[in-house]
Amino acid sequence: MFVRLKVVAESLAMITKCSITVVLVLFARQWGLYIFSAAHLVFTGILVLCYALYFIRFLGSKEAAKKNFPLDHVGDLLPHRADGEPLVDWALARLTWSFFKQSFLKQILTEGERYVMTFLNVLSFGDQGVYDIVNNLGSMVARFIFLPIEESFYIFFAKVLERGRDARSQKQEEVAIVAEVLECLLKLVLIVGLIITVFGYAYSHLALDIYGGSLLSSGAGPTLLQCYSCYVLLLAVNGVTECFVFAAMSQEEVDKYNFVMLALSVSFLFLSYMLTWWAGAVGFILANCLNMGLRITHSVLYIHHYFQASQWKPLRGLLPSPLLLLALTVSAGVTALSEGLFCCDGGWLLKLVHISVGAACLLVVFVTCLLTETQLVQFVRTQLLPRYRKKHT
């Protein structure tokens, strides 16, 4: 309900945190790790302060009355017993507990490799540093492109669909809208993920060379970023499929999925340990890819079962047009050849030639997409861009 508040508060807190980190690193380097601890404390303090000040002003105001906001005073935000209501709503408590367990397991799946790195000492500190840099660079796409899409359309799916009921038991006009949106979203993130995978493979070395010089581009960094480009494709598909699944699942299904998440968490930690001994830092990305593949498989099976008895087949969104696939394949070959010929030890002139080749291939892919994926283009123009603008204004 307060998207603008969240954006402003988090942006202000993050800007302050980064500014304090930079200033202290430059002028109080002797503080070491305390610099980052202090920056985190400032971040959380500003975040809490922004929310507190906003709600002190908002509660009981005319704006709150217009929105029919159910709370009138700051004290209403604190735990208390409502008149005529039981102390605990057990149905809600069980659902909350299910989501808590799920969040805990997802934390292991998301940050599991860091626990393996820290406690099992499978990588040197230098390798950990390179892995962190590549991980941060690679995940920027997921944070800035895919995450806003997932958050926005999770809310859409949760509002339109009724939990725990399949497609036959819902209002058919709403199911039709959901199926069309899901198909277009799957196709969108798949195409974006394929583009990142294709061009990420040929331009990882150049990107790291520009970003960090030979320190990053001469070792395992390029291979890590190439593997991460493939992982981004799986991240993209998993984000959309899971946002639909979590919006449609009943409480019982959420509970069952927690067992799936537990199995995935254990297998992921085991795979991270084994593959790291075999392939070094690349093993962490391979373990993430395998784990993400299993999660996608589960979500795809759920979606297939959900729409099985209906006329809609949103999973067709995972099948881009043959011409687009051909354009991507040709681009992969051309850019890989360009990397071998022009990148990255021949000076800036050859690097610019390599960049120009990639830009030309990307333009061909983009034009092919516009000509062959007309339904997707219409969806982006009419649905996605208005939502994105609204969320960021």
Side-chain angles (χ1 to χ4, degrees):
M1 294 178 65
F2 300 95
V3 175
R4 183 177 296 180
L5 168 64
K6 180 184 176 185
V7 171
V8 171
E10 290 189 354
S11 300
L12 183 61
M14 183 60 70
I15 290 170
T16 308
K17 172 189 169 184
C18 294
S19 302
I20 288 176
T21 303
V22 170
V23 170
L24 291 180
V25 164
L26 290 175
F27 299 107
R29 199 170 296 180
Q30 69 276 8
W31 287 12
L33 292 177
Y34 289 116
I35 293 171
F36 301 95
S37 302
H40 273 295
L41 285 173
V42 171
F43 173 82
T44 52
I46 290 179
L47 205 58
V48 172
L49 183 64
C50 286
Y51 287 139
L53 291 176
Y54 181 87
F55 281 104
I56 289 172
R57 184 195 65 82
F58 175 78
L59 293 177
S61 66
K62 293 180 179 179
E63 185 183 354
K66 286 181 181 178
K67 290 187 175 183
N68 294 321
F69 199 71
L71 307 179
D72 297 319
H73 308 286
V74 176
D76 294 337
L77 294 169
L78 302 175
H80 65 282
R81 186 168 187 167
D83 295 335
E85 297 288 340
L87 183 63
V88 177
D89 183 340
W90 288 107
L92 188 60
R94 285 191 293 270
L95 183 61
T96 307
W97 175 243
S98 297
F99 278 115
F100 170 77
K101 291 185 290 185
Q102 191 181 100
S103 300
F104 179 78
L105 295 172
K106 285 188 75 173
Q107 173 68 14
I108 296 177
L109 291 174
T110 306
E111 303 288 343
E113 71 265 19
R114 299 186 185 277
Y115 301 131
V116 174
M117 280 185 202
T118 303
F119 296 114
L120 300 181
N121 196 29
V122 292
L123 291 180
S124 67
F125 286 125
D127 289 339
Q128 287 185 37
V130 173
Y131 176 84
D132 275 343
I133 290 171
V134 170
N135 186 45
N136 289 335
L137 285 174
S139 63
M140 283 174 64
V141 178
R143 287 199 298 268
F144 292 117
I145 298 179
F146 300 135
L147 187 59
I149 293 175
E150 293 164 22
E151 289 180 344
S152 178
F153 283 94
Y154 171 79
I155 296 171
F156 167 76
F157 291 139
K159 283 184 176 179
V160 175
L161 297 175
E162 190 172 339
R163 284 186 177 276
R165 298 174 65 181
D166 61 17
R168 291 174 299 177
S169 307
Q170 308 270 358
K171 293 180 180 179
Q172 294 306 294
E173 61 273 14
E174 293 180 348
V175 174
I177 295 172
V178 166
E180 182 183 353
V181 169
L182 180 58
E183 180 180 347
C184 290
L185 279 179
L186 286 173
K187 186 161 290 187
L188 174 66
V189 297
L190 179 69
I191 291 172
V192 174
L194 286 171
I195 290 172
I196 291 169
T197 300
V198 167
F199 290 91
Y201 183 84
Y203 289 87
S204 293
H205 192 185
L206 179 60
L208 289 177
D209 190 58
I210 293 172
Y211 179 74
S214 59
L215 181 66
L216 292 178
S217 62
S218 60
T223 304
L224 281 172
L225 193 55
Q226 287 172 340
C227 293
Y228 206 99
S229 299
C230 300
Y231 177 53
V232 167
L233 171 61
L234 298 175
L235 270 177
V237 176
N238 178 72
V240 172
T241 53
E242 278 198 347
C243 91
F244 173 83
V245 169
F246 291 153
M249 275 182 171
S250 65
Q251 182 193 323
E252 291 74 19
E253 289 170 329
V254 171
D255 286 333
K256 289 179 182 177
Y257 188 62
N258 285 337
F259 290 105
V260 175
M261 295 283 279
L262 178 61
L264 288 173
S265 301
V266 173
S267 64
F268 170 67
L269 293 175
F270 176 75
L271 284 170
S272 296
Y273 181 74
M274 297 303 295
L275 291 174
T276 305
W277 280 115
W278 172 64
V282 174
F284 282 120
I285 300 177
L286 295 177
N288 274 309
C289 288
L290 291 171
N291 168 65
M292 203 60 64
L294 292 173
R295 288 168 66 175
I296 291 171
T297 302
H298 174 272
S299 298
V300 166
L301 290 174
Y302 182 92
I303 294 171
H304 173 72
H305 176 73
Y306 188 89
F307 290 98
Q308 190 171 18
S310 70
Q311 58 180 313
W312 298 285
K313 307 297 177 187
L315 291 176
R316 288 179 302 188
L318 295 174
L319 300 172
S321 68
L323 271 178
L324 181 58
L325 289 176
L326 177 62
L328 286 166
T329 304
V330 172
S331 297
V334 171
T335 52
L337 181 62
S338 172
E339 182 186 29
L341 293 174
F342 305 120
C343 190
C344 286
D345 301 319
W348 271 105
L349 182 61
L350 292 181
K351 289 178 183 178
L352 289 173
V353 173
H354 182 45
I355 293 171
S356 300
V357 171
C361 290
L362 184 60
L363 180 62
V364 170
V365 170
F366 184 69
V367 171
T368 306
C369 183
L370 288 177
L371 295 175
T372 59
E373 301 290 354
T374 53
Q375 182 185 2
L376 176 61
V377 173
Q378 182 68 14
F379 169 77
V380 172
R381 289 176 56 190
T382 60
Q383 297 291 329
L384 194 65
L385 289 180
R387 282 175 176 268
Y388 194 82
R389 290 195 194 103
K390 184 178 179 181
K391 187 170 183 177
H392 287 81
T393 56

